[in-house]
Amino acid sequence: MAKTTSKKKEIKKDSEKKSVKTQAKQSVSRQKKSLVIVESPAKAKTIKKILGDSFEIKASVGHIRDLPAKGIGVNIKNNFEPEYEVLEKKQKVVEELNAAASVSEEIFLAPDPDREGEAIAWHISYLLSEACKNIHRIEFNEITKTAIQEAVKHPRPIDMKRVNAQQARRILDRLVGYKLSPLLWQKVGKGLSAGRVQSVAVRIICDREAEIEAFIPEEYWKINADLAKAKSSSIFNAELSKCDGKKIEIKNGDQAAEIVKVLEDKSTEYQVAKVTPRQTQRKPQPPFITSTLQRETSNRLGYSVKRTMQIAQNLYEGIELGSSGPVGLITYMRTDSTRISDEARDAAKEYIVNHYGEKYYPKEARDYSKKKGKNVQDAHEAIRPTYVDKTPESIRQYLSPEQFKLYKLIWSRFVASQMESAEVKTVSVEIEADKYTLRASSSKVTFDGFLIVYDDREEKEQDSVIPNLAKGDKLTLKKINSTQHFTQPPPRYSEATLVKTLEELGVGRPSTYAPTIATIQDRGYVIKEEKSLAPTQLGRTVNDLLVKHFPDIVDSSFTAIMESNLDEVESDKADWKGLLGEFYEPFVEVLKKAKKEMEKVEILTEHNCPECGKPMALKTSRWGSQFLGCSGFPECKSTKPLDKDMKPAEEERMSDEICEKCGSGMMIKRGPYGEYLSCVNEECKHRKKFVRKTGIKCPQEGCDGELLQRKSRYGKIFYGCSKYPDCNFALWNEPNGEKCPECGSMLVNKYLKRGNKVACSNKECSFEKPMEENKED
């Protein structure tokens, strides 16, 4: 057990707590109660409803004891002994817990069922051990009556193996952060940080950006034919696939033109050469784990991984369901296991058979627990609804729109995972035309199975139909289309694909994905452009330095091995302090070398100082935010703020708005939350939100509003009518005021990495053209 500072130093004197203790004694009955301590007040409220008045429920509100905020807090010379202290903001919480513990018969520690929760329980146990000797640990995967009561019936001691794995991780992160960060401050700028997992994530994003920049696009062409059976009006599409029986690659327009000439020749006959029908099964996917939930919500709902986990936490801890009170709706949401309990499987079967019929339930129950991926701990169940009979629609009135969407996704995926496979009939057809072969295919769902609940098909997989064809059928050519294409670079990572990559590499754990992605954005190393993660100039500079001088720290394989070593500690196969020693000794040697060899870097930008004309450099404030500062400092102290896209923010300037309070002019200023309007009259000081006008009239019929630039609740820019809510017209892309020549809808500008273009805002219209063409018009 780690050596700690004296409890007397961590907790305020007993005399300061007497009044709190007295209040606690007065608030409980003379008969002692059992005390249950959880992490959050919401969780406490849900559990209180289950356990009743014979239990007192208190919340620690997260960690109450940790390494000190200032200083490294680890005695390296004394075998890496941590020097814990009560968090300053939690002194009152500790006092209240001690007071409640002193009048309790026994204590049940019920933080989350993972390493972090086990460590929280251990710290609480340490601080309350004098107030009450009868302390137990209880663990549950869901907040239901059965699970809570079973946990109380079967308490256990604190698992020190799990605690030591958490201590090892915490100290590793502290050693890396506190040793590397000052070096970055000295060589690059103040406020910067490095970390075991975050630095690997930044490297992955930087490496992908380098791939994109080095990518050389290659031209290729596709040729498609619109065909029909004789005496039939049904037209279907076939794509050219072979020439003389071999796969064809069309490299340029001249080659495409020669092929089109042959295919359009009146003497060329189109005849069905081969028809291959096939019956296939589409199996449902397993219930969600943390990473797959984060990916699916990003793809389907557009939620960030951080937001997903916040909503899931609410659903897990309990939602007020009218007269039923708070109810935990899903199981624990930080898990890497697809396993489910027998009770959950049986409940799903009953629901499926009763609501959809026996043919929708497989002959044998599905078992996903055998399919374990890399570094799966399998400590908890998959993410599933706690009560399958609480359908999303039945409780919709109690949920926020976000909670409903996430709960529906989790509920549907779980129910679908237990259902029968869908049956799909596919037909592929090969058509001969001269020496060329064209291919067409169709698919049709003949039994929907799990798709009735959870349709996970992509748009291109939806049912497509071609007429009934047989070998030897003659076909009529209606039209030939040849289209030019270019190979595309690998896409930038989104939050969803980054989580998938981290999981595949074995970097991090379910509990670390969301905070890692949030941290690299908060530090200014990465910005989000649309849904893609792009490295900033600062991020690439720091990454280059770390790759050069600390290759192991930013190596995904090294970090994955370290994660496996932490798992070994938890399974009692490795000593946690020995693990720290093995890491630290070579790390210190590399650090000493880097201090001597790492060059000091100034990140110059293309912007010039408005005062002296010298280049502006990217700087980091002591709080970690970035700004532009003159490279001539300290002689020139000119600075410029940056916006969230790391671009120079506009200077304060007069607007054409008039203050509605006093009639004075209004100036556009920038605050911590963006630009706002401020009255120039010092006696008035009226402020209001700044709205960017486009000068483009709303195209909605009968509306005289103007399109304004707005931001969604997630910070994404869109363009909406000034008459909202009376008019709800909105666009995600920037309108340019022109009308589509094909359908008359509004044209918008799309800024894409593969080239900016002008496109129609009508989803059913395919008109688009290069933006340069638009500028010339």
Side-chain angles (χ1 to χ4, degrees):
M1 187 179 292
K3 183 181 177 181
T4 60
T5 53
S6 170
K7 295 180 191 177
K8 293 180 181 179
K9 293 181 180 179
E10 296 184 31
I11 311 170
K12 292 185 177 178
K13 293 180 180 179
D14 288 342
S15 59
E16 295 175 348
K17 297 184 287 183
K18 282 182 180 177
S19 60
V20 180
K21 252 185 195 181
T22 304
Q23 291 173 17
K25 286 179 180 179
Q26 292 172 348
S27 67
V28 298
S29 62
R30 290 181 179 179
Q31 184 180 1
K32 286 190 173 184
K33 295 183 178 183
S34 294
L35 174 64
V36 177
I37 301 175
V38 297
E39 284 155 301
S40 77
K43 194 173 174 182
K45 192 175 181 182
T46 307
I47 292 175
K48 178 67 176 176
K49 186 195 77 168
I50 294 170
L51 292 178
D53 292 336
S54 59
F55 287 82
E56 184 77 10
I57 318 295
K58 292 285 186 181
S60 69
V61 197
H63 280 274
I64 60 175
R65 185 168 172 260
D66 198 1
L67 297 176
K70 295 181 179 179
I72 194 166
V74 179
N75 191 333
I76 297 169
K77 293 180 179 179
N78 190 19
N79 201 18
F80 302 98
E81 282 291 331
E83 298 169 347
Y84 295 116
E85 63 181 27
V86 173
L87 299 174
E88 189 176 346
K89 293 181 180 179
K90 295 298 179 70
Q91 287 284 355
K92 188 176 179 181
V93 173
V94 173
E95 290 172 16
E96 291 173 350
L97 291 179
N98 260 295
S102 67
V103 293
S104 298
E105 185 177 355
E106 58 184 340
I107 299 173
F108 296 98
L109 303 176
D112 287 342
D114 55 17
R115 287 177 190 166
E116 210 68 26
E118 202 73 21
I120 290 172
W122 176 62
H123 286 299
I124 294 172
S125 173
Y126 174 83
L127 294 174
L128 303 188
S129 59
E130 290 184 6
C132 180
K133 302 296 182 185
N134 199 8
I135 301 177
H136 317 285
R137 170 77 163 119
I138 59 173
E139 183 178 324
F140 40 84
N141 187 56
E142 59 186 13
I143 305 177
T144 61
K145 186 175 183 179
T146 301
I148 300 299
Q149 290 179 343
E150 280 298 306
V152 172
K153 285 180 186 176
H154 303 97
R156 62 168 174 80
I158 288 172
D159 185 349
M160 286 309 300
K161 298 188 297 294
R162 199 185 273 185
V163 172
N164 289 339
Q166 189 275 344
Q167 289 193 94
R169 175 190 290 278
R170 183 76 183 93
I171 294 170
L172 273 172
D173 290 342
R174 177 57 67 100
L175 292 173
V176 172
Y178 268 68
K179 294 295 183 179
L180 269 187
S181 297
L183 182 61
L184 292 177
W185 301 346
Q186 181 185 351
K187 303 296 184 179
V188 184
K190 292 181 179 178
L192 301 180
S193 70
R196 282 188 320 111
V197 178
Q198 76 172 55
S199 296
V200 173
V202 172
R203 181 179 184 177
I204 290 170
I205 294 168
C206 288
D207 287 350
R208 175 57 57 87
E209 196 71 12
E211 282 184 71
I212 294 169
E213 291 172 352
F215 184 82
I216 300 174
E218 295 181 4
E219 180 184 8
Y220 70 98
W221 287 69
K222 283 185 178 182
I223 295 176
N224 294 73
D226 289 343
L227 301 167
K229 283 180 72 173
K231 299 179 182 180
S232 172
S233 59
S234 177
I235 296 174
F236 67 97
N237 188 269
E239 183 178 339
L240 179 64
S241 61
K242 297 177 183 176
C243 177
D244 291 327
K246 297 179 181 179
K247 183 179 177 182
I248 189 169
E249 292 184 1
I250 309 171
K251 298 291 189 181
N252 53 60
D254 291 340
Q255 185 185 356
E258 289 178 10
I259 297 170
V260 168
K261 186 177 180 181
V262 174
L263 294 176
E264 286 184 331
D265 193 288
K266 292 181 179 180
S267 64
T268 301
E269 292 186 350
Y270 289 80
Q271 182 174 321
V272 176
K274 187 178 180 182
V275 178
T276 308
R278 195 157 53 105
Q279 194 75 21
T280 60
Q281 281 195 336
R282 185 186 184 97
K283 294 181 179 180
Q285 298 183 73
F288 285 124
I289 59 175
T290 303
S291 59
T292 54
L293 177 65
Q294 291 170 343
R295 295 205 302 267
E296 196 74 351
T297 53
S298 176
N299 294 331
R300 287 198 178 207
L301 307 177
Y303 296 168
S304 68
V305 295
K306 182 179 179 181
R307 187 65 189 133
T308 294
M309 296 311 286
Q310 288 171 338
I311 303 166
Q313 185 89 31
N314 294 336
L315 295 175
Y316 166 69
E317 291 182 345
I319 300 293
E320 290 280 351
L321 300 184
S323 59
S324 299
V327 176
L329 293 175
I330 65 170
T331 52
Y332 190 55
M333 62 284 156
R334 296 184 184 94
T335 177
D336 56 10
S337 172
T338 52
R339 172 175 56 83
I340 64 168
S341 67
D342 293 343
E343 293 81 3
R345 182 198 61 213
D346 295 342
K349 178 181 179 179
E350 183 180 353
Y351 182 89
I352 292 163
V353 171
N354 290 343
H355 287 78
Y356 301 105
E358 289 189 4
K359 67 178 182 178
Y360 281 90
Y361 192 78
K363 292 179 180 178
E364 290 186 11
R366 297 193 182 278
D367 182 6
Y368 298 100
S369 62
K370 298 174 184 176
K371 300 177 181 179
K372 293 184 181 180
K374 184 179 181 181
N375 294 325
V376 170
Q377 293 176 290
D378 199 35
H380 316 298
E381 281 190 65
I383 303 169
R384 60 168 177 81
T386 51
Y387 304 98
V388 74
D389 60 329
K390 293 190 186 301
T391 64
E393 288 297 338
S394 70
I395 59 173
R396 185 170 192 166
Q397 61 181 313
Y398 305 111
L399 305 177
S400 71
E402 288 181 323
Q403 290 170 345
F404 171 76
K405 289 176 184 177
L406 186 61
Y407 181 67
K408 184 178 181 181
L409 201 63
I410 293 169
W411 185 93
S412 302
R413 174 79 165 239
F414 168 68
V415 173
S417 75
Q418 302 305 302
M419 295 179 75
E420 184 59 275
S421 300
E423 294 179 6
V424 183
K425 181 183 179 182
T426 62
V427 178
S428 63
V429 179
E430 290 189 358
I431 301 152
E432 289 183 350
D434 198 86
K435 62 180 180 179
Y436 299 105
T437 303
L438 295 91
R439 190 175 184 277
S441 63
S442 71
S443 65
K444 182 171 182 168
V445 174
T446 55
F447 174 65
D448 50 10
F450 76 91
L451 293 174
I452 197 172
V453 174
Y454 188 83
D455 194 341
D456 57 359
R457 294 174 297 169
E458 295 182 8
E459 190 174 340
K460 63 183 179 182
E461 296 180 277
Q462 303 292 329
D463 287 357
S464 57
V465 180
I466 58 176
N468 289 327
L469 298 171
K471 183 177 180 180
D473 283 352
K474 298 285 172 91
L475 304 174
T476 303
L477 176 66
K478 297 295 184 179
K479 186 181 179 183
I480 285 285
N481 300 298
S482 64
T483 53
Q484 182 189 37
H485 300 269
F486 291 91
T487 54
Q488 296 296 314
R492 281 174 170 167
Y493 287 101
S494 64
E495 289 193 357
T497 55
L498 181 60
V499 166
K500 183 179 181 182
T501 301
L502 291 172
E503 182 185 36
E504 288 172 346
L505 294 172
V507 174
R509 284 291 178 265
S511 60
T512 64
Y513 300 141
T516 295
I517 291 174
T519 297
I520 62 178
Q521 292 178 73
D522 293 341
R523 295 284 185 266
Y525 296 152
V526 171
I527 58 171
K528 194 184 288 186
E529 293 183 354
E530 294 295 327
K531 288 187 176 181
S532 300
L533 298 172
T536 62
Q537 197 173 359
L538 175 65
R540 298 183 81 164
T541 300
V542 171
N543 178 66
D544 288 344
L545 290 173
L546 293 179
V547 169
K548 182 177 179 180
H549 298 282
F550 297 92
D552 281 350
I553 294 296
V554 290
D555 180 75
S556 58
S557 299
F558 178 83
T559 306
I561 290 170
M562 190 61 68
E563 294 291 349
S564 297
N565 291 340
L566 291 170
D567 294 343
E568 296 279 287
V569 171
E570 184 170 342
S571 58
D572 206 21
K573 295 177 182 177
D575 174 63
W576 69 285
K577 289 187 176 180
L579 172 65
L580 293 173
E582 289 173 12
F583 166 80
Y584 189 71
E585 288 177 17
F587 173 65
V588 169
E589 294 305 312
V590 174
L591 187 69
K592 289 177 182 176
K593 186 179 178 183
K595 285 180 179 179
K596 296 177 182 177
E597 298 179 0
M598 186 182 287
E599 60 275 19
K600 189 172 176 63
V601 176
E602 186 170 45
I603 308 173
L604 299 179
T605 69
E606 68 273 21
H607 306 288
N608 292 326
C609 176
E611 301 293 332
C612 69
K614 289 183 178 179
M616 298 289 278
L618 186 66
K619 305 280 188 179
T620 305
S621 73
R622 68 180 68 179
W623 299 282
S625 60
Q626 280 73 51
F627 65 95
L628 293 180
C630 182
S631 57
F633 181 85
E635 288 77 17
C636 179
K637 298 179 180 178
S638 176
T639 61
K640 272 188 178 182
L642 294 169
D643 61 20
K644 69 177 186 66
D645 296 321
M646 301 297 285
K647 295 176 182 176
E650 295 186 53
E651 301 288 342
E652 291 184 3
R653 60 203 185 278
M654 287 299 298
S655 72
D656 55 3
E657 295 276 340
I658 301 297
C659 177
E660 56 264 39
K661 296 287 181 72
C662 70
S664 302
M666 299 199 80
M667 181 169 282
I668 302 171
K669 295 186 176 182
R670 172 167 288 273
Y673 304 106
E675 291 183 323
Y676 65 94
L677 290 169
S678 176
C679 181
V680 296
N681 182 351
E682 292 186 3
E683 295 181 2
C684 177
K685 297 182 180 179
H686 175 58
R687 294 182 177 185
K688 66 178 183 178
K689 188 176 179 180
F690 173 65
V691 179
R692 290 184 180 273
K693 298 179 179 179
T694 65
I696 298 171
K697 188 180 181 301
C698 177
Q700 200 85 317
E701 189 176 345
C703 179
D704 60 353
E706 177 188 348
L707 294 184
L708 307 174
Q709 187 188 94
R710 300 182 185 275
K711 280 187 179 180
S712 72
R713 70 177 70 181
Y714 306 112
K716 185 176 179 182
I717 290 175
F718 71 98
Y719 299 85
C721 183
S722 59
K723 296 294 183 179
Y724 178 84
D726 296 326
C727 176
N728 59 6
F729 180 84
L731 296 168
W732 284 115
N733 298 105
E734 177 189 23
N736 61 23
E738 296 182 13
K739 289 189 175 181
C740 175
E742 293 186 7
C743 71
S745 300
M746 182 167 286
L747 292 179
V748 295
N749 297 330
K750 290 189 174 182
Y751 301 96
L752 308 170
K753 189 162 186 70
R754 60 181 179 271
N756 300 333
K757 63 182 181 181
V758 173
C760 183
S761 59
N762 181 358
K763 292 182 179 178
E764 297 178 1
C765 179
S766 59
F767 174 79
E768 64 180 39
K769 61 181 180 179
M771 193 175 289
E772 291 74 17
E773 188 177 312
N774 178 53
K775 290 177 182 178
E776 291 173 3
D777 289 345

